[in-house]
Amino acid sequence: MSGSGVSRRDFLQIVGLGGTAMALGACGNTSIESGVELVESYVQPEDFVVPGVGVYYASTCTQCASACGIMGRVREGRILKLEGNPNSAISGGKICGLGQAAVQQHYNPDRLTTPMIRENGSLKPATWDKAMALLNATLSSADGPGRRVWLTGPTSGHHQVLLRSLVESGGATDYVVYDALSTAVEASVNRKMFGVEQPVTVIDKAGLVLSFGDDFLGAGASPVAAARQYARFRKAAPRGVLVQIEPKMTLTGANADRWVAIEPGTEGVFALGLARELLQRKEYSGGISPALIAAVEPYTQVEVSRITGVRGDLIPRLAGMLWERAPSLVLAGRYPQGHAHGSRNMAAIALLNVVLQNQGKTVLRAADLPFPQLAPTAGDFKSLAELNKAMAAGQCRSLLIHGTNPVYSAPDFLQFGENLQKVAFKAAWVTQMDETAMHCDLVLPLLSALEDFGTHIPLNQSDGIELSMQQPLMEKLYPETRSFGDVVLDLLKKAKPDSYKAFPDYYGYLKTALINAKPASISQADGEAFWEDTLSAGVLHRPASLLPLPALEITAAMIQQPAPSNPDAKYPFSLIPAVSASMRDGRPANLPWLQESPDTLTTVVWDSWAELHPSTAKAINVREGDVLIIESAHGSIRAKAYLMPGIHPGSVAVPIGQGHEAYGRYATHVGVNPLKILDPIFDQETGELALYATRVAITKTDQHERFTKDEGATNLQQGRKLVATLGADQLDLTKETPFVIR
């Protein structure tokens, strides 16, 4: 590139097309200094409006990390409704309830509408000029000790590219990505066993899916895409069979042909017992090392049943079904990885896919991304814990926060809120004040996701390579709100003016990046049409086949299970912080549609609850609505009892997402937050928080309150027994059955 002082290689890095991006398409000698062909600001939408007639615009849902393509229905210039984008390989024209509620995030009456700066101990309205001057002064002051940290939630696309560039330019010393519901244990095990962090699992190619707590239809990594595969799985001939093994029933478990309750943390033991049974067949044992065969030998039916609480005769029956319905697919969710031996649990379960020879059939690898800088970065807990330790020691000078709320989601044993006060300067980018923003010195108001531009790489890349486009579906509601991309770009213009001065705004930057990513078959003269076509479609898609997934070395040490521990007399119950499809990590709790939507299994609305098995409730003389104190070694919460047969009798489940202390009128002081009372127990291999390893005591109080539920007479079926039910212990899994399994 002539005259700009930026080489072509550097330019590709700037716009996020470094690495192997040239494989996507040759770009020619695009200039970024003329300012005529690419770097124009976002124009106003069409000025023609037909009253009563809706117009649809494509964008991307940002309610979770799935990055589903959506279509927004706009009438008279206002967004009214969201639907799935049929062009998206992820959503395929579908959308979930969480995605539908994004409209309420946009119109939320508690949105922050102006910058806030802390003065004399309280946050007060300020101008953007004053806010940016303060921010620039903080970032440009590199002198003095202490880390200067960017802290975000899981991210991908060009936001990630700009943030990493800002860190490299000296705008920060560290970039930390935190996820309260991290699956870093699973990623670590997959990396060791298969060489990739996230294998592609193909549900609709399996005859039988055996899931150890993977809630792929509810709170999984990409539930809309998984539901589409699951529909094909169920419609296949013969019909696909789902067996779900977990300590607390999930939405996926409720849809299973057989649901099996298991002692929390013993999923690996059951997997090894099943592996032992399968390895009795020479067809399965051929490629397995003698050391592994010897390692699973102690896991007999009797021993597995003793440890897990699952009937031993299920093992040979399930092994027979896996044999008959090959190829199969074995999945693992959050439950098995949330223990001190979580990595070994996950390795034992992953071993089943190797024994069953599912690799290359239902377990594969996605094609390499041609734009690796845009690839998703998953968060973890260990990074936050290390940051928290630095804050506690006074070693963190500034903290810039976007897309995460650790003051709410971090367990109390971290004392994150208290340690945050030891940081000299804290800034947060939010659409609405939350617990973390309330602790900050500078709070900047963001556009809603329906007012902003962006790019996203979906986690699910099972149907080719896809980049999802996000664009405004209407003009912004509040003049003083800004795009996060624009703010970071302004900071980069100060830090690296030669590289970024040619981009007037984030829109111009994205447009330049996308036109440079066009296929080689499209000429430079047609770049504008390519950009418009990409926005119209909502996705940039390249066909790519799934690749084989060879197994790396699997050792006996990777799958070794701990000896069963003795019951804790003081804390006799396992706490299960349950993840729901609607509340996730608590960020959607400020949306009344989701608060009003009944929980799928309990029908409870606007509340938290403590889920107990009926036999457990009877043993401790508890009935539905009794207020319970649930106490761990690190705190206690109060919640009403809800009796539910879909939970292991030695457990109590409390849903995550409620219990906010400062998150607007719809979330504040609604329910309780079970994350606060977690014990400091960590996975021994990765250092990740063991989300399901906390033990608790349950105390009944003298209070009793009624639930607000939306179940009508569904339990009674109007007294007519419209649906026949059959107990799981009466079911013969080897035969087709029309009955619903309870």
Side-chain angles (χ1 to χ4, degrees):
M1 295 171 59
S2 61
S4 67
V6 179
S7 70
R8 174 122 189 99
R9 177 176 296 179
D10 289 341
F11 169 71
L12 290 174
Q13 294 288 334
I14 287 168
V15 295
L17 301 177
T20 58
M22 295 301 290
L24 188 63
C27 307
N29 294 315
T30 304
S31 169
I32 63 165
E33 61 178 349
S34 64
V36 294
E37 67 275 68
L38 299 178
V39 288
E40 56 194 63
S41 296
Y42 174 55
V43 296
Q44 299 288 328
E46 291 82 359
D47 55 5
F48 61 86
V49 172
V50 179
V53 177
V55 180
Y56 285 85
Y57 295 94
S59 190
T60 298
C61 178
T62 63
Q63 293 285 82
C64 76
S66 301
C68 293
I70 56 173
M71 301 293 291
R73 181 173 178 241
V74 180
R75 195 176 70 193
E76 283 92 48
R78 297 180 70 85
I79 178 67
L80 300 180
K81 184 76 163 58
L82 298 177
E83 301 292 351
N85 182 354
N87 295 322
S88 169
I90 311 303
S91 68
K94 308 299 181 182
I95 192 172
C96 69
L98 181 58
Q100 290 278 13
V103 172
Q104 287 203 323
Q105 195 74 266
H106 174 66
Y107 290 118
N108 196 299
D110 296 322
R111 277 185 61 184
L112 184 65
T113 60
T114 186
M116 306 287 285
I117 295 178
R118 188 169 300 278
E119 296 178 358
N120 299 322
S122 62
L123 289 168
K124 298 181 180 179
T127 64
W128 268 102
D129 287 343
K130 187 175 180 179
M132 291 302 293
L134 176 60
L135 193 57
N136 276 306
T138 301
L139 295 183
S140 61
S141 178
D143 298 331
R147 296 168 59 181
R148 292 170 291 119
V149 181
W150 272 101
L151 174 64
T152 76
T155 185
S156 70
H158 284 88
H159 276 177
Q160 176 174 258
V161 172
L162 291 179
L163 282 175
R164 293 194 182 280
S165 182
L166 189 59
V167 173
E168 292 168 4
S169 70
T173 57
D174 300 272
Y175 180 29
V176 175
V177 184
Y178 163 60
D179 185 357
L181 305 178
S182 165
T183 55
V185 172
E186 178 182 12
S188 175
V189 171
N190 285 335
R191 190 166 54 248
K192 290 178 181 178
M193 295 187 68
F194 305 117
V196 296
E197 292 190 353
Q198 188 175 7
V200 175
T201 53
V202 188
I203 296 172
D204 54 346
K205 299 298 183 183
L208 185 146
V209 172
L210 172 60
S211 170
F212 290 86
D214 187 346
D215 189 19
F216 58 84
L217 295 177
S222 190
V224 174
R228 294 172 58 221
Q229 283 198 29
Y230 184 72
R232 296 191 291 269
F233 166 78
R234 285 304 208 184
K235 293 177 181 178
R239 176 179 178 270
V241 172
L242 170 62
V243 178
Q244 188 88 352
I245 301 175
E246 56 194 3
K248 184 254 185 280
M249 183 178 284
T250 58
L251 178 61
T252 303
N255 282 273
D257 295 278
R258 177 151 194 176
W259 182 83
V260 180
I262 191 170
E263 175 78 27
T266 65
E267 294 89 347
V269 171
F270 187 91
L272 294 182
L274 185 56
R276 179 184 182 275
E277 184 73 24
L278 292 168
L279 290 172
Q280 306 301 313
R281 297 176 181 266
K282 61 181 180 180
E283 295 88 349
Y284 288 138
S285 61
I288 305 300
S289 71
L292 281 179
I293 294 176
V296 303
E297 184 58 33
Y299 295 94
T300 63
Q301 292 182 35
V302 173
E303 184 68 2
V304 169
S305 180
R306 182 183 71 84
I307 296 173
T308 66
V310 178
R311 287 173 47 179
D313 60 357
L314 179 62
I315 293 176
R317 295 173 67 189
L318 191 51
M321 293 179 65
L322 288 165
W323 168 261
E324 294 169 2
R325 293 178 174 270
S328 60
L329 174 62
V330 182
L331 302 174
R334 291 188 177 92
Y335 291 143
Q337 61 189 298
H339 297 271
H341 58 288
S343 288
R344 284 176 279 169
N345 265 343
M346 297 299 283
I349 295 169
L351 175 64
L352 286 174
N353 276 319
V354 177
V355 171
L356 290 163
Q357 302 165 18
N358 291 331
Q359 294 156 276
K361 302 170 185 175
T362 59
V363 184
L364 300 105
R365 180 171 71 86
D368 293 332
L369 284 172
F371 17 75
Q373 287 179 293
L374 308 182
T377 299
D380 58 23
F381 178 86
K382 183 180 179 181
S383 297
L384 184 79
E386 292 173 348
L387 170 62
N388 182 69
K389 185 177 180 180
M391 295 193 311
Q395 298 170 354
C396 185
R397 190 174 59 185
S398 63
L399 185 61
L400 310 177
I401 305 165
H402 174 256
T404 186
N405 183 10
V407 173
Y408 165 80
S409 59
D412 277 351
F413 70 77
L414 277 188
Q415 297 183 318
F416 189 89
E418 292 86 341
N419 293 330
L420 189 58
Q421 299 308 310
K422 300 178 183 180
V423 180
F425 178 78
K426 295 87 64 182
W429 282 255
V430 296
T431 57
Q432 182 175 327
M433 295 295 292
D434 58 25
E435 289 88 343
T436 303
M438 294 295 291
H439 283 69
C440 290
D441 306 296
L442 173 65
V443 186
L444 299 175
L446 290 179
L447 298 173
S448 81
L450 304 184
E451 300 167 320
D452 203 1
F453 278 101
T455 55
H456 305 270
I457 302 295
L459 290 172
N460 186 326
Q461 295 284 336
S462 60
D463 188 9
I465 296 171
E466 184 162 295
L467 179 146
S468 299
M469 291 296 304
Q470 177 188 347
Q471 67 171 319
L473 300 180
M474 63 175 285
E475 286 297 295
K476 62 183 181 181
L477 289 173
Y478 304 107
E480 293 301 306
T481 54
R482 288 193 67 190
S483 164
F484 180 68
D486 277 328
V487 177
V488 178
L489 188 60
D490 285 350
L491 296 175
L492 276 165
K493 288 178 182 179
K494 291 283 187 180
K496 302 173 71 173
D498 289 343
S499 297
Y500 292 92
K501 65 183 179 181
F503 304 108
D505 52 24
Y506 187 51
Y507 167 84
Y509 170 81
L510 283 185
K511 187 175 181 182
T512 303
L514 265 293
I515 290 180
N516 275 275
K518 64 180 174 27
S521 58
I522 298 177
S523 68
Q524 189 62 35
D526 293 330
E528 182 76 25
F530 171 76
W531 164 254
E532 292 178 358
D533 289 345
T534 302
L535 283 183
S536 178
V539 296
L540 185 60
H541 191 89
R542 191 185 84 170
S545 299
L546 295 175
L547 304 174
L549 187 72
L552 306 180
E553 182 181 4
I554 305 172
T555 66
M558 293 171 65
I559 62 172
Q560 182 180 5
Q561 299 297 303
S565 58
N566 295 323
D568 188 331
K570 186 175 181 180
Y571 301 110
F573 296 96
S574 293
L575 175 65
I576 299 177
V579 184
S580 72
S582 58
M583 289 299 168
R584 297 279 175 150
D585 64 354
R587 277 176 287 180
N590 64 333
L591 306 179
W593 278 355
L594 297 181
Q595 291 280 12
E596 191 72 24
S597 298
D599 175 74
T600 311
L601 301 182
T602 67
T603 76
V604 174
V605 297
W606 291 99
D607 209 347
S608 297
W609 61 92
E611 198 167 310
L612 295 172
H613 192 276
S615 65
T616 304
K618 183 178 181 181
I620 60 176
N621 194 29
V622 166
R623 60 194 176 101
E624 182 179 302
D626 285 347
V627 177
L628 308 176
I629 298 175
I630 302 166
E631 182 180 11
S632 74
H634 288 81
S636 64
I637 54 177
R638 299 166 69 95
K640 297 192 289 287
Y642 187 95
L643 277 55
M644 176 75 170
I647 187 171
H648 187 272
S651 302
V652 55
V654 181
I656 297 172
Q658 304 283 22
H660 285 273
E661 296 179 358
Y663 198 30
R665 70 192 72 182
Y666 304 117
T668 303
H669 301 148
V670 176
V672 296
N673 181 5
L675 296 175
K676 289 301 181 184
I677 66 171
L678 295 183
D679 288 339
I681 303 173
F682 308 94
D683 174 62
Q684 296 165 351
E685 305 296 326
T686 65
E688 284 298 295
L689 179 66
L691 196 63
Y692 301 104
T694 298
R695 304 289 297 183
V696 295
I698 299 175
T699 304
K700 177 184 174 182
T701 71
D702 58 1
Q703 294 178 292
H704 181 90
E705 299 175 7
R706 292 185 61 185
F707 277 108
T708 301
K709 296 191 288 186
D710 187 22
E711 63 183 6
T714 54
N715 282 347
L716 301 177
Q717 301 178 46
Q718 301 292 340
R720 291 177 288 171
K721 292 293 289 182
L722 301 175
V723 178
T725 62
L726 183 67
D729 58 345
Q730 300 173 274
L731 177 69
D732 184 354
L733 276 176
T734 63
K735 298 179 180 179
E736 298 290 339
T737 174
F739 293 113
V740 176
I741 306 169
R742 297 294 186 190

